[in-house]
Amino acid sequence: GLPSIGVDTFRIRESHLRNGVTLKSFLLEKAFTDVSEYFTFTGMRVGTANVSIAPGAILTGSFGFSGENATVQGTSIIDGLVSPQTIPVSANDVFNGVENVGNVLIDGVVDPDVCFTEIAFDVENNLRFQPCIGQLESSGIGVGRTQISGTLSAYFVNRTFFERYLNFDTTAVSFTVTDADGNTYLIDFPSVKFTNGEVVAGGNDEDVLVTIEFTAKRDPTLGFTLGLNRFGNIPAIIQ
């Protein structure tokens, strides 16, 4: 049975993001304060996103936006609406691929023989401009299907991982990113297909690598394609 934990109490702080159908737009401002020039972008929607993880490197990512209109003026539009003092910069270190990335789970299990050398994924929302005759700016931003793809690379030591590609299995892929204080992100693809794979033997005195590309699909039970879960510091007693 489970060990007794006495009368200790704790709280798990958690929030999550899922790809969904709620449309959201943003106002973005780029400020050149030394010359008092402010570029404002309205009706901006996130069209693309990507994350890349590699050994010995910080985690990197980017977002691409498409929007309705752009203007430039001598004063800030959002000044007074958003105060820099109310949005503190995080004191936490940036995530890196050495200390902060946990095991990659394939169908919820760690394969002790698989050592990954790269994790990367891209999100494409297939946005499109909707122009009209008689106006300069776009009348709207159309939203297409969300497409999520990625790449997993690992040292090739046996056939088990590569056979998932050959068999075209539906597979769950997930991994965690945790800082020194225990704050954790869980990135979860509950249903993916491995769409392309190759084993590369570069030459003498070089490692043999297997690289597999995947496409994520909407899980029929969980109802999402990509999940991003954020947890606060989890007490060691329940880890």
Side-chain angles (χ1 to χ4, degrees), residues 28-52:
L28 305 180
E29 185 174 84
K30 186 176 183 178
F32 297 89
T33 56
D34 56 333
V35 292
S36 297
E37 298 290 353
Y38 298 84
F39 290 80
T40 303
F41 306 90
T42 59
M44 304 297 289
R45 287 182 174 163
V46 180
T48 61
N50 67 75
V51 171
S52 179

Side-chain angles (χ1 to χ4, degrees), residues 3 95 110 124 190 199:
F95 291 118
V110 176
E124 171 61 70
V199 177

Side-chain angles (χ1 to χ4, degrees), residues 95-173:
F95 291 118
N96 64 72
V98 177
E99 300 174 307
N100 304 127
V101 181
N103 290 317
V104 179
L105 304 183
I106 305 297
D107 284 336
V109 178
V110 176
D111 187 336
D113 293 328
V114 178
C115 176
F116 288 93
T117 60
E118 179 189 10
I119 307 170
F121 64 88
D122 298 275
V123 179
E124 171 61 70
N125 284 328
N126 287 296
L127 302 185
R128 60 186 181 275
F129 291 103
Q130 297 172 325
C132 292
I133 294 174
Q135 64 185 56
L136 179 62
E137 68 274 6
S138 177
S139 65
I141 300 294
V143 180
R145 294 171 297 171
T146 297
Q147 296 176 314
I148 301 173
S149 59
T151 301
L152 297 173
S153 294
Y155 295 110
F156 182 71
V157 294
N158 60 44
R159 66 179 185 274
T160 303
F161 181 50
F162 193 73
E163 279 185 326
R164 291 179 177 273
Y165 158 65
L166 296 177
N167 296 332
F168 204 55
D169 294 333
T170 298
T171 305
V173 176

